[in-house]
Amino acid sequence: MTVASSSSEPIPERLRYGVSPIITRASTTLQFTSSRQPTLSFARVDAENIDKLAPIVTILATYNRRLPGAKLEQLEAEIGAHATLSTLKRMKGTYAMVTAAMDVKLRELPLWLWSHMPVEDLETVDRKLMDAMRFIFTDFVNVCTNPVTAPQAAQSERTFLVDHVVPILRSLATQSQLLAFNWCGAVLKQKARQARPATTARNVDALGYNAQGYERLVVEISGGHTVEQPSHAADDTIKIIHSLLCVLKGDAQGHLNASLATYKKIKTFGIQTIEAHMVLFEMHLGDDLTYEYKEVMSASVPINDEQRTRWLQVAEMLAYLMLELHEQDAHLTTLQKEHDGALQLDTTTTIRSNLYPATANSPNS
């Protein structure tokens, strides 16, 4: 029997995008929306700021309806792929361990994790992610088995950072050996260096550095895991965008002799938590020489053992980030070699010639 595809049927006019009737009663105003919504994403950058940033930064997010339809479809497809754990499944050992761990009793989980051995040789990145997840799960058991809860813990962003975010990122950094973090008021030096006129450095909730000491990952905690603060979250998103922009501009100014093509491959990363949701961002220079700020994916951080299956999406995020960090390590090495002259370039292809032409033509350059 052949069943017609629902996608081939016209969408009823009553379900079209943008229909949001508002009904006002004596004491309240209610807005109704159809089952077909243009996006499920919370607009972390409002339309006014998207327009203001457009000459410098393009916001690649599904809530940015100014993007071309093909780009929105691509973003939706990427988000859908992450929802199916597409990156984690590439790490066969980690995927097998994490999925099996969902059914192990809580108090038995640490012993099971550290006794679990893969049945085949693993790629280095897979083995490192598996070790990171072992440490993350072990800390999770430690937190979940404490019957005592501190007053106001659910409302405190620092408590959420220390209890739930630090173990995740610290384990990723330590086991990947690609990052090291400063926590709670870390100073973003590139912000001060890029500001005109020069200003004091910016503090962020956490800051990840690579082996050369370059700032690579900015973290902002926008409230406790039960606190909804839309204005705080929106402000922190803008702060992350500006922070990543400053870091990338610092990368360019520190490697003026490197090729523009290599610089376009360089990314900086941001993580923001909004309530218990962790959002991963990345930024790089696009082909049109505006920066592209992309919301890669989000995951809900498990707070208790009833939420254990949420670790699957967290593991997907960490798998993506670890692969990206490995790739970035290679790109940054190439960038440095090009700048130092170890790799010879046509001077017309350099960052200096393309992004800082006044510097290239200066008699003092």
Side-chain angles (χ1 to χ4, degrees):
M1 184 174 73
T2 301
V3 180
S5 170
S6 60
S7 60
S8 64
E9 299 174 359
I11 300 170
E13 180 69 12
R14 61 186 176 82
L15 295 181
R16 71 186 188 277
Y17 290 157
V19 175
S20 301
I22 297 175
I23 298 177
T24 302
R25 305 293 295 171
S27 59
T28 187
T29 299
L30 302 174
Q31 184 175 19
F32 293 80
T33 56
S34 76
S35 59
R36 278 186 56 84
Q37 290 304 297
T39 178
L40 296 177
S41 299
F42 168 72
R44 279 169 275 276
V45 185
D46 61 29
E48 180 181 358
N49 283 325
I50 287 174
D51 288 341
K52 286 181 178 179
L53 290 170
I56 301 170
V57 180
T58 300
I59 306 299
L60 297 180
T62 55
Y63 56 76
N64 182 4
R65 308 312 292 178
R66 289 158 176 75
L67 293 175
K71 179 64 71 173
L72 287 171
E73 290 178 4
Q74 179 185 346
L75 291 172
E76 292 284 7
E78 291 173 357
I79 292 172
H82 285 305
T84 65
L85 310 179
S86 60
T87 312
L88 182 61
K89 288 175 181 176
R90 293 167 56 186
M91 313 283 202
K92 295 181 180 179
T94 307
Y95 176 73
M97 185 189 75
V98 171
T99 52
M102 296 299 101
D103 298 320
V104 180
K105 292 181 179 179
L106 183 65
R107 289 189 175 275
E108 297 174 3
L109 187 55
L111 178 60
W112 181 89
L113 287 165
W114 294 101
S115 303
H116 179 87
M117 293 298 151
V119 296
E120 57 183 312
D121 292 336
L122 303 178
E123 294 182 4
T124 300
V125 66
D126 191 0
R127 176 176 50 79
K128 289 181 176 181
L129 183 59
M130 180 181 288
D131 285 342
M133 292 307 302
R134 286 188 175 112
F135 282 105
I136 291 168
F137 277 139
T138 300
D139 188 88
F140 176 67
V141 174
N142 187 40
V143 170
C144 288
T145 52
N146 185 0
V148 182
T149 303
Q152 306 302 315
Q155 289 78 42
S156 169
E157 67 177 54
R158 289 295 173 87
T159 299
F160 181 62
L161 170 65
V162 172
D163 282 354
H164 300 285
V165 179
V166 168
I168 295 172
L169 297 182
R170 182 176 56 204
S171 298
L172 176 73
T174 303
Q175 299 310 311
S176 71
Q177 299 181 343
L178 293 171
L179 288 178
F181 279 93
N182 280 337
W183 308 99
C184 300
V187 176
L188 184 73
K189 293 182 179 179
Q190 282 298 344
K191 186 266 180 181
R193 293 171 181 167
Q194 302 306 321
R196 297 292 182 271
T199 61
T200 57
R202 168 178 293 150
N203 291 331
V204 295
D205 289 327
L207 186 57
Y209 308 82
N210 68 3
Q212 290 72 42
Y214 294 129
E215 299 161 342
R216 306 319 307 161
L217 174 60
V218 175
V219 180
E220 283 295 331
I221 310 298
S222 303
H225 72 265
T226 63
V227 179
E228 184 177 0
Q229 297 178 316
S231 60
H232 184 182
D235 289 346
D236 278 351
T237 300
I238 295 297
K239 180 179 177 181
I240 290 175
I241 293 173
H242 187 256
S243 297
L244 299 188
L245 178 64
C246 288
V247 172
L248 276 177
K249 291 181 73 176
D251 290 338
Q253 293 171 5
H255 301 87
L256 290 174
N257 301 324
S259 74
L260 180 64
T262 300
Y263 177 61
K264 288 179 181 179
K265 298 176 183 178
I266 303 301
K267 295 180 180 180
T268 51
F269 301 92
I271 286 179
Q272 180 181 12
T273 66
I274 304 167
E275 298 179 73
H277 304 292
M278 186 161 61
V279 188
L280 175 64
F281 312 101
E282 63 185 30
M283 182 185 284
H284 73 281
L285 185 69
D287 290 335
D288 62 355
L289 301 187
T290 62
Y291 291 94
E292 294 185 351
Y293 175 84
K294 181 179 180 180
E295 296 198 4
V296 178
M297 66 171 295
S298 64
S300 295
V301 179
I303 305 300
N304 53 58
D305 196 41
E306 287 71 29
Q307 301 173 347
R308 195 192 301 191
T309 54
R310 293 182 177 181
W311 282 118
L312 295 169
Q313 287 296 317
V314 175
E316 167 71 12
M317 180 181 291
L318 297 182
Y320 177 88
L321 185 55
M322 184 174 281
L323 288 173
E324 285 290 323
L325 289 171
H326 273 279
E327 187 173 280
Q328 286 300 302
D329 192 50
H331 292 327
L332 287 164
T333 297
T334 301
L335 194 77
Q336 188 66 53
K337 287 182 177 180
E338 290 176 347
H339 176 70
D340 293 338
L343 299 176
Q344 292 296 304
L345 302 171
D346 183 334
T347 57
T348 62
T349 67
T350 64
I351 296 171
R352 185 190 301 273
S353 296
N354 288 275
L355 298 185
Y356 301 93
T359 302
N361 297 328
S362 169
N364 298 321
S365 63

